[in-house]
Amino acid sequence: MSTAVQPAPIPFVPTDSQLAVAYSVCRRIARTAAKNFYYAFLVLPKAKRQALCAVYAFMRGCDDIADDPTSPLPERRQKLAAWLESVHRALAGYATDEPVLLALADAQRRYKIRTELLDQLACGTAMDLESEDATRGLEPTIEVRYQTFEDLRMYCYRVASVVGLVCIRIFGYRDPAAEPLAERCGLAFQLTNIIRDVKEDAAMGRVYLPAEDLAKFSVSASELANSTDAVRFRRLLELEAERAREYYKAVEDLIPLVDEDSQPALWALVTIYRKLLDEIAARQYDVFHGKVSLSVRQKLTVLGKGFLKRLM
C-alpha cells in the first residue's frame, strides 16, 4: 500500500508540549470511540496507556477512511494509501503536525513496535475495500465475504491478532510464547465483535460469517439483514461463540507472560469482552433487537477489580 520511506537525514524531535498535546488528542479519540478497550487502558501506567491510545487512534483513522460512505471507493483507497504513507514518513523521522502520527511515532520508538505490524493493521482495513471493489458495478447485494473459517481467520488476524501483537509490545514481555497467545486473544475479540454486530454489518451489505457456516445451518445472507427471528440464527451464532471461547482460553497462559504492571489491564480487557460474549449468550444470541453491550456500571466494576489487582 505504501512504498518504503528512507530515514530522515535529521530526525524530527518533538517537544514535550507537542507530545503532550498529541497524546491528549489520541486519548480523546480512544475515550470517545473505544467503548471497551478504553476502560482497560485506564489500569495501565501512564506511558503505556498513552501508547495504546496512540495505536488505537491510528487504527481509528484507518477505519474512518475505509468506512466513509460519503467517499467513492477509489477515493477511499487513495486516502488510505496516503494515510499510510504519512505514517511511514512520521515513523522514519520526518516532521509532522498531525497529532495522531506524532504520538504514534513516539510510541513506536519507545516500545519498538515493528512497522510491518502497523502496515498489517492497515492491510486488514484494506481487505474490506478489496471486497467492495470486487462487487462494484453489480446490483446492490449483501456480500458474504469469506467462504471458509480459515478465510475469516486471516481477516481476523490482520485486524485483531496483529492488535494483540502490538499490545504485548507495549505491555512488555520476554518469552516469545506470548506472541501466538496474543494472536489467539485477538481472534477471540474479533469473533465476539462479529457476533455482536452481525445484523448491523449485514445492513451495510457485509456478512463476515463464513459461507460454509451459513450453509451448514441453511441460513442466507439476506436473512441476517432482514429477519428479526433470533431463534433462526441461534445455532449459527452459538457455533462462532464456541470458537471464540476456545481462543479466550489462551489468556490464562498469556497474562503471566506480560510485565507485571500490565497484567491487570490485560485481565480487565479480556474480562470485559468475555462478559460481552456471556451477555450475548444469556440473550439466546438475540443480537437482532438492539445492540448488546455492557453497561458503564459493569465496566467500572471490572475496572475497579483491575485497579485492585494492580495494587496487590
Side-chain angles (χ1 to χ4, degrees), residues 37 41 44 48 52 55 59 111 113 117 160-173 182 189 258 262 266 269:
F37 273 83
F41 293 175
L44 285 168
K48 292 184 177 183
L52 277 177
V55 170
M59 295 189 300
Y111 293 100
I113 301 169
L117 290 177
S161 291
V162 174
V163 177
L165 293 174
V166 172
C167 284
I168 62 172
R169 296 295 297 187
I170 295 171
F171 289 161
Y173 70 100
F189 292 162
V258 303
S262 300
L266 178 55
L269 180 59

Side-chain angles (χ1 to χ4, degrees), residues 33 41 95 155 162 183 185 220 237-238 240 281 285 289 300 305:
F41 293 175
Y155 169 76
V162 174
E183 292 175 13
C185 285
S220 69
L237 297 183
E238 190 173 33
E240 311 305 341
Y285 298 93
H289 296 87
L300 289 176
K305 292 179 179 178

Side-chain angles (χ1 to χ4, degrees), residues 23-250:
Y23 277 120
S24 176
V25 170
C26 294
R27 185 170 62 252
R28 184 166 60 249
I29 292 171
R31 185 174 62 244
T32 302
K35 302 300 185 183
N36 293 317
F37 273 83
Y38 186 70
Y39 284 86
F41 293 175
L42 295 175
V43 192
L44 285 168
K46 182 179 179 180
K48 292 184 177 183
R49 181 169 68 247
Q50 288 180 327
L52 277 177
C53 286
V55 170
Y56 181 85
F58 157 68
M59 295 189 300
R60 185 74 263 161
C62 293
D63 287 342
D64 287 347
I65 292 170
D67 293 340
D68 183 4
T70 66
S71 295
L73 180 59
E75 185 177 325
R76 279 182 274 164
R77 294 175 69 88
Q78 291 172 2
K79 285 181 177 179
L80 189 58
W83 172 244
L84 194 57
E85 182 71 20
S86 298
V87 170
H88 282 195
R89 288 185 60 81
L91 298 184
Y94 289 89
T96 177
D97 58 1
E98 165 55 59
V100 171
L101 300 186
L102 196 64
L104 180 68
D106 181 69
Q108 188 261 352
R109 288 189 291 268
R110 187 186 300 266
Y111 293 100
K112 298 179 174 58
I113 301 169
R114 300 198 310 273
T115 302
E116 57 265 30
L117 290 177
L118 300 176
D119 286 346
Q120 286 194 64
L121 289 174
C123 284
T125 301
M127 288 177 73
D128 280 336
L129 296 183
E130 291 166 5
S131 296
E132 288 185 33
D133 196 34
T135 57
R136 185 172 52 182
L138 302 177
E139 289 298 319
T141 185
I142 299 175
E143 176 196 0
V144 179
R145 302 209 155 191
Y146 304 103
Q147 293 302 305
T148 68
F149 179 71
E150 282 305 305
D151 296 335
L152 174 62
R153 195 176 65 81
M154 176 53 67
Y155 169 76
C156 292
Y157 173 84
R158 287 181 171 172
V159 299
S161 291
V162 174
V163 177
L165 293 174
V166 172
C167 284
I168 62 172
R169 296 295 297 187
I170 295 171
F171 289 161
Y173 70 100
R174 293 179 179 84
D175 190 335
E179 295 175 10
L181 295 171
E183 292 175 13
R184 292 177 68 83
C185 285
L187 287 171
F189 292 162
Q190 190 62 24
L191 285 172
T192 301
N193 286 338
I194 287 172
I195 295 167
R196 178 195 62 191
D197 298 337
V198 65
K199 182 175 177 63
E200 180 181 324
D201 288 336
M204 295 189 295
R206 301 174 179 178
V207 174
Y208 292 98
L209 301 177
E212 64 180 6
D213 293 348
L214 296 178
K216 181 177 181 178
F217 296 102
S218 301
V219 171
S220 69
S222 60
E223 286 181 277
L224 292 170
N226 301 316
S227 176
T228 57
D229 181 9
V231 176
R232 176 88 174 88
F233 313 109
R234 185 178 300 161
R235 292 175 60 212
L236 168 63
L237 297 183
E238 190 173 33
L239 170 66
E240 311 305 341
E242 286 304 315
R243 284 173 170 157
R245 289 191 182 93
E246 283 299 310
Y247 287 122
Y248 275 122
K249 291 178 181 178

